[in-house]
Structure formats: structure tokens, C-alpha cells
Amino acid sequence: MHNPRRAAAAFLLGLPFAAAPLPAQPTSPSRAVIAARLAFNAAIARRDLDAMRATFTPSYHVLLGRSSQSHGPEASIERWRSTFAADSLYGCVRTPDQVTVNAPWGLADEAGHWRCRYEGVPAGAPPGYATGIYNGKWQRDVGGSWRLHAEIFTTLECAGKSTACVRPDSVPAARAGLLPAPVAGQSSAAAVRAARDWYNRAIARSDANAIVALFTPDYHAVFGRGMHIEGVEAARADWIEDPASCIRTADRVTVNDVWGLAHERGRWQCRATVNGAVARQSGRYAAKWERDVSGRWRVQAELFTTLQCTGAQADCRPPDPLPAR
């Protein structure tokens, strides 16, 4: 089988990236997801917009390393088209580190790292690069192909003169009194974990206003079954209408302190009662945080993947079937 780390190493060394033939019949769902990721890397390398478009589900959403977002396949393809046209050296490799699959529901959570290369500025200068980590959510369509439903990227390092190395715009402070003050001397990773604990406590008391105070103005969430929530007011309405009992536990928080960005990966559990019957769901999640101008950490996006669901059938429905491409 083609080694994704070897392909990434070739790219990092500046060698031409050409994906080896993919296995015709991957022997497990996780390998099938890795094969789909390698095929997407190869499509980027040959600048094949049609192949890239075919990888996306109709509701595909992406949050990029510098924190800009695109919703829908066509918006992302136009961004790729303009990037390819403007930069003859541009290329990216995403390397999966872990893939966890919910085979009965046809969902998968992918965690990995990425590196992109850019033309030097001014012309003739050494190429620039950016590196970071990412999470992707995949869904299997009715034809058996794994497709990208959403991705979150976080830039951890950037070198060279390029628009990719311009730090994100500042996030305005939350309304006074809604969030706890920053703790002097606390590390950024610890501050993100403390903010997650505060978020969990707000969920426990069904305090929708406190929950959404933690969100940036452009907050976006993709829930376990694949539903999207766009914006703070939509999130507030959802928490008021459906106040589930949930807890999210961070396993890892990785911080870019210079840019005020953090990438959180962890596990989640929810409990809901539907017509007197209890349903329990659990899975993995990723979240991207931004530090606002007051020094508080705020959630820009969350990506949840359901891996298990037991109990009430009404709340344990798999996602709607995804048509074949």
C-alpha cells in the first residue's frame, strides 16, 4: 500500500509529488478513508478540480488554517481555482495520523497534519511554507465511496512572504461580564482547557446565552449526524430548542500562540430523552479556537463525528443516505 508519510516526505523535500497507485479494494473502512485522502492529495498535485469536486459532499464546509471559511463544493473549488492561477508553486499534502470509523453509519473522523508550499515573494525568493494540523469528517455514499463532509485546519507555523503568512484578523471581545477573565500566567493550552470546562458547565445548566458568548461571530458547527449550524444566533436557537446533556473532554490542545489559534481534539458524550426513552451518543470532535482582543479564548468551529449510539431509535438514526457521485 502507498505510504502517506513517504509521499509527504517527498513533498517536504521539494521533490515532485506523484501518488502511487491506490489499492483497488482497501481491506478496511479506515484504509478506504486513507486511500480517499491520498487520492485527494494526488488531485491537488495535478490541479484536477473535477476530481477534487467529486470528493466533496453537497454540504461540504472547510475552515482554513488562517481561519477563513467556505461552504459548499463550488465555493471551495473557486478558491482552489484562484489559488492555482495565482501561484505556480502552490501545493499541499495532508497526511492522516489516525482514522476512526463508524462503519454502520458510514462516518469517519480523520486526524492528521498538513504542509503547503507557496511561491516566494518577491519573484525568485525562496518558496514559503505553512504547516499545521487538521481534522476531517468523511461520509460513505451509497456507491461505497468515501467523501469529505467537513474539514478544520489550524496553522501552527508559517515562513516566507505570502498572504498565507498574514495572521488572521482580530476577534472582537465578548460582551463584558459574560465570560470569566483571563488568568494571569496561565498557559494558552491550559486556558483553552479551562474554557472547555466552562463550556461544559454552561451546557449542564442549559444556559444558552453563556454557551454562545464563547463563540466567535462566524461560529460554525457540524454535528454528529452531519447537520450544520451557521452563526451565533442559529446556535443560540438550537441550544434553546434542544438542550441536550453533553460533555466534551479534550485529549489534546495544540496552540499557535503567535497567531492566537488553538486546535483541540477530544471525545464527546451526549444523553437525550425522546418520548421517555433515553439515547446515549458518543464520538470524537475537533474544535478551532481563537484568542480575542481581550485575551479570552473563543470557539470558531466545532466538528463532531458520532461513533456510537444506543437507546431511543428516534435519536439514533444514521445520517440520510448520501447519493453516489
Side-chain angles (χ1 to χ4, degrees):
M1 180 177 177
H2 178 55
N3 186 333
R5 295 181 184 277
R6 186 177 300 166
F11 178 85
L12 300 186
L13 291 170
L15 303 176
F17 174 75
L22 300 175
Q25 293 182 327
T27 57
S28 72
S30 61
R31 289 186 180 182
V33 171
I34 292 171
R37 173 58 73 187
L38 296 179
F40 191 62
N41 281 341
I44 294 172
R46 65 179 185 266
R47 304 191 168 204
D48 187 341
L49 295 174
D50 289 336
M52 295 168 68
R53 181 187 289 107
T55 307
F56 301 148
T57 67
S59 58
Y60 173 74
H61 187 89
V62 63
L63 173 60
L64 300 175
R66 290 187 58 254
S67 299
S68 61
Q69 304 191 56
S70 296
H71 188 73
E74 292 310 315
S76 286
I77 289 300
E78 285 308 307
R79 177 182 55 80
W80 281 105
R81 191 191 311 278
S82 63
T83 299
F84 289 152
D87 191 332
S88 63
L89 281 183
Y90 179 80
C92 278
V93 169
R94 289 81 182 261
T95 305
D97 297 318
Q98 181 179 11
V99 174
T100 309
V101 178
N102 177 345
W105 281 23
L107 298 177
D109 174 83
E110 175 198 10
H113 59 281
W114 60 269
R115 180 171 177 124
C116 295
R117 181 180 57 202
Y118 309 91
E119 281 186 339
V121 178
Y129 70 88
T131 62
I133 56 179
Y134 73 91
N135 277 76
K137 181 171 184 172
W138 295 78
Q139 185 174 355
R140 188 177 55 224
D141 69 22
V142 296
S145 296
W146 285 92
R147 315 258 298 278
L148 271 169
H149 186 73
E151 297 178 284
I152 293 178
F153 296 90
T154 301
T155 299
L156 298 180
E157 185 178 356
C158 201
K161 294 183 178 180
S162 163
T163 55
C165 290
V166 177
R167 63 183 301 163
D169 295 337
S170 298
V171 177
R175 254 188 340 167
L178 290 178
L179 296 174
V183 177
Q186 187 178 47
S187 72
S188 294
V192 170
R193 289 179 180 274
R196 174 59 71 186
D197 290 342
W198 190 90
Y199 189 172
N200 282 331
R201 292 195 297 273
I203 292 172
R205 62 179 186 268
S206 299
D207 189 340
N209 289 330
I211 291 169
V212 301
L214 203 57
F215 299 161
T216 64
D218 60 346
Y219 173 79
H220 190 99
V222 182
F223 293 128
R225 292 183 62 252
M227 183 182 76
H228 292 251
I229 290 289
E230 179 76 42
V232 172
E233 291 310 314
R236 188 197 314 273
D238 184 69
W239 278 106
I240 291 172
E241 180 181 348
D242 186 18
S245 174
C246 297
I247 187 166
R248 289 83 181 256
T249 304
D251 291 327
R252 181 181 177 186
V253 176
T254 307
V255 177
N256 177 343
D257 252 325
V258 175
W259 281 15
L261 302 177
H263 193 103
E264 175 196 10
R265 292 169 174 164
R267 294 159 288 120
W268 62 270
Q269 300 178 44
C270 288
R271 180 181 182 275
T273 302
V274 181
N275 297 325
V278 175
R280 292 180 173 83
Q281 302 182 36
S282 61
R284 293 186 180 275
Y285 74 90
K288 185 167 184 176
W289 296 73
E290 292 187 285
R291 188 172 52 221
D292 72 18
V293 296
S294 73
R296 295 172 172 85
W297 285 93
R298 313 266 295 284
V299 185
Q300 188 191 14
E302 297 179 286
L303 177 58
F304 299 93
T305 301
T306 301
L307 298 177
Q308 291 185 324
C309 193
T310 59
Q313 186 174 2
D315 215 43
C316 281
R317 292 175 292 112
D320 294 335
L322 176 65
R325 55 193 176 194

